[in-house]
Amino acid sequence: IYLLGLPIAEITQNVSLGGSEYLAAIHGTVAGKPPVVDYQLERQVQATCREGIRQGWVQSAHDSAEGGLVVALAESCIGGNLGAKITLNADAASVSRWDEILFAEGGARIVVSVSPEQMENWESYLHQHLAGNWQKIGEVSEIPTNLIVNSDVNLPLIDVSMADMRDRWSNAIERRLSASPNLPG
């Protein structure tokens, strides 16, 4: 599993929780300024992803704009009915807010999966076309297990089952409607 675009270490500089789904869902607020879009990087990331798909290297691709990196990973797991083990290579000692790394939104970031047989071709292409703006972040599980996200020093951040992810994703609207006193239902 690869993150195309801004590496984890640079996420807090170029993406934001401002106006994010995280702020709305967890903190019940819409506030802050959204991140500034780097159009040149966005074009490079999109072109690289499309070429990976054309070449047959990329098995799945998901933007990380709405909900951030972890939501993109969870939706990819649900879509493929497979788990994933992720290691976020960020200097854990210097991270003050893991929520920014996990849920910040912004452009020029796509999560892709590549079959093991295509990794060498894919990484060679990435070195040539996205120099420094990509990183391998994990592996797909062969079975529908959990989504596990750890820091690079093995600090557990997320461990959620496929059943729980699927339930939250499939029933989100019904839960939201039943929790709102102003809506019928």
mmCIF file of all heavy atoms in Angstrom, residues 6 11 26 37 42 61 77 93 121 137 148-149 156-157 171-172 177:
data_model
loop_
_atom_site.group_PDB
_atom_site.id
_atom_site.type_symbol
_atom_site.label_atom_id
_atom_site.label_comp_id
_atom_site.label_asym_id
_atom_site.label_seq_id
_atom_site.Cartn_x
_atom_site.Cartn_y
_atom_site.Cartn_z
ATOM 1 N N LEU A 6 1.954 13.931 -0.656
ATOM 2 C CA LEU A 6 2.709 14.385 0.508
ATOM 3 C C LEU A 6 3.036 13.261 1.465
ATOM 4 O O LEU A 6 2.140 12.561 1.932
ATOM 5 C CB LEU A 6 1.909 15.460 1.235
ATOM 6 C CG LEU A 6 1.579 16.686 0.401
ATOM 7 C CD1 LEU A 6 0.577 17.559 1.131
ATOM 8 C CD2 LEU A 6 2.837 17.459 0.077
ATOM 9 N N ILE A 11 2.680 15.966 6.224
ATOM 10 C CA ILE A 11 1.230 16.141 6.189
ATOM 11 C C ILE A 11 0.770 17.334 7.003
ATOM 12 O O ILE A 11 -0.057 18.111 6.551
ATOM 13 C CB ILE A 11 0.520 14.848 6.637
ATOM 14 C CG1 ILE A 11 0.563 13.868 5.474
ATOM 15 C CG2 ILE A 11 -0.905 15.105 7.062
ATOM 16 C CD1 ILE A 11 -0.082 12.545 5.748
ATOM 17 N N ILE A 26 -16.622 14.404 14.972
ATOM 18 C CA ILE A 26 -16.140 14.139 16.325
ATOM 19 C C ILE A 26 -16.364 15.326 17.256
ATOM 20 O O ILE A 26 -16.730 15.161 18.415
ATOM 21 C CB ILE A 26 -14.642 13.757 16.313
ATOM 22 C CG1 ILE A 26 -14.412 12.526 15.438
ATOM 23 C CG2 ILE A 26 -14.098 13.541 17.719
ATOM 24 C CD1 ILE A 26 -15.176 11.291 15.850
ATOM 25 N N VAL A 37 -4.248 24.284 -2.029
ATOM 26 C CA VAL A 37 -3.982 23.209 -2.985
ATOM 27 C C VAL A 37 -2.706 23.518 -3.764
ATOM 28 O O VAL A 37 -2.535 24.612 -4.293
ATOM 29 C CB VAL A 37 -5.165 23.048 -3.962
ATOM 30 C CG1 VAL A 37 -4.865 21.985 -5.012
ATOM 31 C CG2 VAL A 37 -6.437 22.710 -3.201
ATOM 32 N N GLU A 42 -0.666 18.153 -7.383
ATOM 33 C CA GLU A 42 -1.931 17.464 -7.673
ATOM 34 C C GLU A 42 -1.901 16.848 -9.071
ATOM 35 O O GLU A 42 -2.275 15.687 -9.261
ATOM 36 C CB GLU A 42 -3.104 18.438 -7.552
ATOM 37 C CG GLU A 42 -4.471 17.802 -7.739
ATOM 38 C CD GLU A 42 -4.898 16.929 -6.582
ATOM 39 O OE1 GLU A 42 -4.760 17.351 -5.417
ATOM 40 O OE2 GLU A 42 -5.375 15.806 -6.834
ATOM 41 N N ALA A 61 -7.270 2.355 -5.905
ATOM 42 C CA ALA A 61 -6.857 3.742 -5.639
ATOM 43 C C ALA A 61 -8.003 4.466 -4.946
ATOM 44 O O ALA A 61 -9.167 4.260 -5.292
ATOM 45 C CB ALA A 61 -6.499 4.452 -6.944
ATOM 46 N N CYS A 77 -10.386 -0.928 2.422
ATOM 47 C CA CYS A 77 -10.534 -2.258 3.032
ATOM 48 C C CYS A 77 -11.944 -2.792 2.814
ATOM 49 O O CYS A 77 -12.134 -3.953 2.440
ATOM 50 C CB CYS A 77 -10.226 -2.210 4.528
ATOM 51 S SG CYS A 77 -8.483 -2.021 4.933
ATOM 52 N N ALA A 93 8.023 10.967 18.230
ATOM 53 C CA ALA A 93 8.364 11.852 19.350
ATOM 54 C C ALA A 93 7.978 13.294 19.058
ATOM 55 O O ALA A 93 7.685 14.060 19.976
ATOM 56 C CB ALA A 93 9.855 11.764 19.651
ATOM 57 N N ASN A 121 8.329 -2.585 -10.605
ATOM 58 C CA ASN A 121 7.978 -1.679 -11.706
ATOM 59 C C ASN A 121 7.365 -0.389 -11.178
ATOM 60 O O ASN A 121 7.699 0.710 -11.623
ATOM 61 C CB ASN A 121 6.990 -2.344 -12.667
ATOM 62 C CG ASN A 121 7.590 -3.476 -13.440
ATOM 63 O OD1 ASN A 121 8.793 -3.510 -13.681
ATOM 64 N ND2 ASN A 121 6.760 -4.429 -13.830
ATOM 65 N N ILE A 137 3.423 2.540 2.744
ATOM 66 C CA ILE A 137 2.934 2.667 4.122
ATOM 67 C C ILE A 137 2.436 1.361 4.717
ATOM 68 O O ILE A 137 2.156 1.314 5.915
ATOM 69 C CB ILE A 137 1.836 3.748 4.241
ATOM 70 C CG1 ILE A 137 0.639 3.417 3.366
ATOM 71 C CG2 ILE A 137 2.411 5.127 3.934
ATOM 72 C CD1 ILE A 137 -0.561 4.331 3.588
ATOM 73 N N ILE A 148 -5.146 -2.235 10.754
ATOM 74 C CA ILE A 148 -4.250 -1.952 11.867
ATOM 75 C C ILE A 148 -3.314 -0.831 11.432
ATOM 76 O O ILE A 148 -2.647 -0.936 10.398
ATOM 77 C CB ILE A 148 -3.438 -3.202 12.259
ATOM 78 C CG1 ILE A 148 -4.388 -4.313 12.702
ATOM 79 C CG2 ILE A 148 -2.424 -2.871 13.344
ATOM 80 C CD1 ILE A 148 -3.735 -5.668 12.834
ATOM 81 N N VAL A 149 -3.282 0.238 12.217
ATOM 82 C CA VAL A 149 -2.406 1.368 11.932
ATOM 83 C C VAL A 149 -1.525 1.601 13.153
ATOM 84 O O VAL A 149 -2.029 1.792 14.260
ATOM 85 C CB VAL A 149 -3.203 2.654 11.607
ATOM 86 C CG1 VAL A 149 -2.263 3.804 11.309
ATOM 87 C CG2 VAL A 149 -4.168 2.416 10.450
ATOM 88 N N PRO A 156 0.456 1.654 18.803
ATOM 89 C CA PRO A 156 -0.824 1.336 18.174
ATOM 90 C C PRO A 156 -1.721 2.574 18.100
ATOM 91 O O PRO A 156 -1.937 3.244 19.102
ATOM 92 C CB PRO A 156 -1.432 0.263 19.079
ATOM 93 C CG PRO A 156 -0.570 0.162 20.275
ATOM 94 C CD PRO A 156 0.635 1.022 20.090
ATOM 95 N N LEU A 157 -2.222 2.858 16.911
ATOM 96 C CA LEU A 157 -3.089 4.013 16.697
ATOM 97 C C LEU A 157 -4.525 3.588 16.399
ATOM 98 O O LEU A 157 -5.464 4.179 16.914
ATOM 99 C CB LEU A 157 -2.552 4.877 15.556
ATOM 100 C CG LEU A 157 -1.129 5.415 15.746
ATOM 101 C CD1 LEU A 157 -0.616 6.040 14.466
ATOM 102 C CD2 LEU A 157 -1.101 6.414 16.898
ATOM 103 N N ASN A 171 -24.249 1.861 7.969
ATOM 104 C CA ASN A 171 -25.366 2.367 8.764
ATOM 105 C C ASN A 171 -25.188 3.804 9.239
ATOM 106 O O ASN A 171 -25.924 4.249 10.115
ATOM 107 C CB ASN A 171 -25.586 1.432 9.964
ATOM 108 C CG ASN A 171 -25.942 0.037 9.514
ATOM 109 O OD1 ASN A 171 -26.827 -0.142 8.694
ATOM 110 N ND2 ASN A 171 -25.221 -0.949 10.024
ATOM 111 N N ALA A 172 -24.244 4.517 8.668
ATOM 112 C CA ALA A 172 -23.950 5.880 9.128
ATOM 113 C C ALA A 172 -25.142 6.824 8.980
ATOM 114 O O ALA A 172 -25.448 7.590 9.890
ATOM 115 C CB ALA A 172 -22.742 6.437 8.382
ATOM 116 N N LEU A 177 -29.508 10.072 11.323
ATOM 117 C CA LEU A 177 -30.911 10.498 11.314
ATOM 118 C C LEU A 177 -31.602 10.201 12.639
ATOM 119 O O LEU A 177 -32.368 11.018 13.133
ATOM 120 C CB LEU A 177 -31.668 9.830 10.158
ATOM 121 C CG LEU A 177 -31.297 10.321 8.767
ATOM 122 C CD1 LEU A 177 -32.005 9.482 7.703
ATOM 123 C CD2 LEU A 177 -31.617 11.794 8.596
#
